[in-house]
Amino acid sequence: MKSAIFFTALRGVLVAFSMAAVLAGCAPDDKPGQARQHTLLNVSYDVSRDFYEHINPLFAADYAQQHPGSSVRIQQSHGGASKQALAVANGLQADVVTLNQTPDMVMLVQKGLVRADWPEALPNHASPYSSVMVLLVRRGNPKGIHDWADLTRPGVQSIIANPKTSGTARYGVLAAYQAALQQANGNADAAKAWLAQWFKQIPVLDSGARAASNTFIQRQIGDVLITTENEAALAAHKFSADGFSVVYPKTSVVIDNPVAVVAPVAEKKGNTELAQAYLRFLWSDAAQQAAAEAYLRPANAAIRQQYASRFPAVDAWSVTQEYGSWDQVMHTFFADGALLDQVLAP
């Protein structure tokens, strides 16, 4: 009887140990040569979800081939870029972050979650692909929208995400403001007034770019969607029966998409090498081709050239070249009390 009680207790201890090991992110039988399933969490911005849904099985197959007996499951989390970065800063257990602007990455560096040398950890300043801001209009472009200046014409409603929570929307604001500044021959007050009028004609500000797309496409609100090239192209092809068209303005802004390992989380889970391999895979030919097929401009110039018909030449400028550091951009445009708050004030 005592022996039965002992073995029952021992079995309970082993079960408890097994559960604790799983919760800690490492299997109790994680020994060399034994099979193991890895789980990796990629926290990303809103309109990247379709790309990573394509990439993840490619990486899983590649990983399984290189690590016989092991497998990997990629979990995804998507939303407004800054909202996602803040969630990671507040404890969301991301192994990697794949974002669309530097300030969110810098914030994670300041929180001790991403290493300060992340831009040097991978090629092309850790940006595997890029995009530009474009305009998506309805069948036949009934409002005749061809450039940023058209967005403030009477009766034109724009749909864009909230720049406070969406990195994509911040790029949209910067692109529109820069065009207004050029139109006003450098008169900052006139450009600010134009921006204020534009926001008066925006009926709703969703938290992320995909939510803004749904507002425009599914809820049929607004005349033009301000979004990334890849999101607009996806809508134009997926909903081709509805007749959406992509309009390239005369000028636009380059959107970089930095990626990094969330070092302490990946280390705690025992996923550091896996996380690094996942991000390196984004520069593989297979991933770069997948980016091009998703209308993301791949970093690999040769592959980008193969898909040149998908990417019209655009007079696009770089945020840092035009305005200096992202710290300065955030301070001038998006911090509390900065230009965005000023134009949104009643």
Side-chain angles (χ1 to χ4, degrees), residues 33-225:
Q34 291 187 334
R36 179 188 174 191
Q37 183 183 62
H38 305 262
T39 300
L40 187 96
L41 176 58
N42 174 15
V43 173
S44 193
Y45 62 103
D46 230 5
V47 299
S48 69
R49 75 177 71 232
D50 305 280
F51 169 65
Y52 285 105
E53 284 175 358
H54 189 126
I55 283 294
N56 292 340
L58 295 179
F59 172 74
D62 181 77
Y63 184 87
Q65 185 177 20
Q66 296 188 41
H67 300 80
S70 293
S71 62
V72 59
R73 181 168 64 100
I74 311 297
Q75 296 177 327
Q76 295 179 229
S77 174
H78 297 274
S82 293
K83 188 176 180 181
Q84 290 292 88
L86 187 59
V88 174
N90 288 333
L92 181 59
Q93 295 292 283
D95 296 282
V96 299
V97 285
T98 56
L99 301 173
N100 69 353
Q101 61 169 17
T102 300
D104 291 330
M105 204 70 81
V106 170
M107 184 267 289
L108 294 176
V109 171
Q110 293 170 345
K111 294 288 185 179
L113 294 170
V114 168
R115 293 197 173 100
D117 63 349
W118 66 267
E120 289 75 49
L122 293 160
N124 198 41
H125 300 287
S127 184
Y129 51 84
S130 64
S131 193
V132 295
M133 293 302 296
V134 299
L135 313 174
L136 185 71
V137 298
R138 301 194 183 280
R139 179 189 295 275
N141 195 4
K143 295 295 179 75
I145 297 165
H146 300 288
D147 206 1
W148 300 105
D150 297 325
L151 303 184
T152 54
R153 292 208 321 261
V156 174
Q157 285 192 329
S158 298
I159 298 298
I160 189 172
N162 189 337
K164 289 288 188 177
T165 55
S166 167
T168 296
R170 287 180 189 149
Y171 282 108
V173 169
L174 292 172
Y177 176 83
Q178 181 67 11
L181 194 64
Q182 292 174 352
Q183 185 72 22
N185 295 317
N187 187 321
D189 289 337
K192 180 179 176 181
W194 183 92
L195 205 63
Q197 181 58 44
W198 179 41
F199 272 95
K200 288 178 183 177
Q201 296 176 216
I202 298 174
V204 58
L205 291 171
D206 293 293
S207 63
R210 179 54 58 86
S213 295
N214 290 337
T215 292
F216 182 71
I217 295 167
Q218 305 290 352
R219 297 171 62 195
Q220 293 287 304
I221 297 175
D223 304 295
V224 54
L225 173 69

Side-chain angles (χ1 to χ4, degrees), residues 156-329:
V156 174
Q157 285 192 329
S158 298
I159 298 298
I160 189 172
N162 189 337
K164 289 288 188 177
T165 55
S166 167
T168 296
R170 287 180 189 149
Y171 282 108
V173 169
L174 292 172
Y177 176 83
Q178 181 67 11
L181 194 64
Q182 292 174 352
Q183 185 72 22
N185 295 317
N187 187 321
D189 289 337
K192 180 179 176 181
W194 183 92
L195 205 63
Q197 181 58 44
W198 179 41
F199 272 95
K200 288 178 183 177
Q201 296 176 216
I202 298 174
V204 58
L205 291 171
D206 293 293
S207 63
R210 179 54 58 86
S213 295
N214 290 337
T215 292
F216 182 71
I217 295 167
Q218 305 290 352
R219 297 171 62 195
Q220 293 287 304
I221 297 175
D223 304 295
V224 54
L225 173 69
I226 290 81
T227 191
T228 60
E229 179 180 37
N230 60 299
E231 180 76 347
L234 175 67
H237 289 82
K238 185 175 182 180
F239 301 99
S240 57
D242 297 311
F244 295 104
S245 299
V246 181
V247 172
Y248 284 84
K250 292 178 182 177
T251 64
S252 189
V253 59
V254 176
I255 303 169
D256 292 318
N257 294 269
V259 302
V261 174
V262 184
V265 175
E267 183 177 354
K268 180 181 69 176
K269 294 182 182 180
N271 280 348
T272 298
E273 291 184 7
L274 175 64
Q276 292 170 343
Y278 179 69
L279 294 186
R280 285 196 302 270
F281 183 77
L282 297 177
W283 276 264
S284 68
D285 285 353
Q288 290 285 289
Q289 288 170 352
E293 289 167 4
Y295 291 87
L296 292 161
R297 300 186 178 220
N300 185 311
I303 293 176
R304 188 168 64 249
Q305 183 58 37
Q306 292 175 19
Y307 290 83
S309 61
R310 291 183 174 227
F311 304 115
V314 181
D315 182 10
W317 48 273
S318 162
V319 171
T320 53
Q321 289 178 357
E322 192 68 36
Y323 288 104
S325 71
W326 265 104
D327 283 345
Q328 183 60 41
V329 171

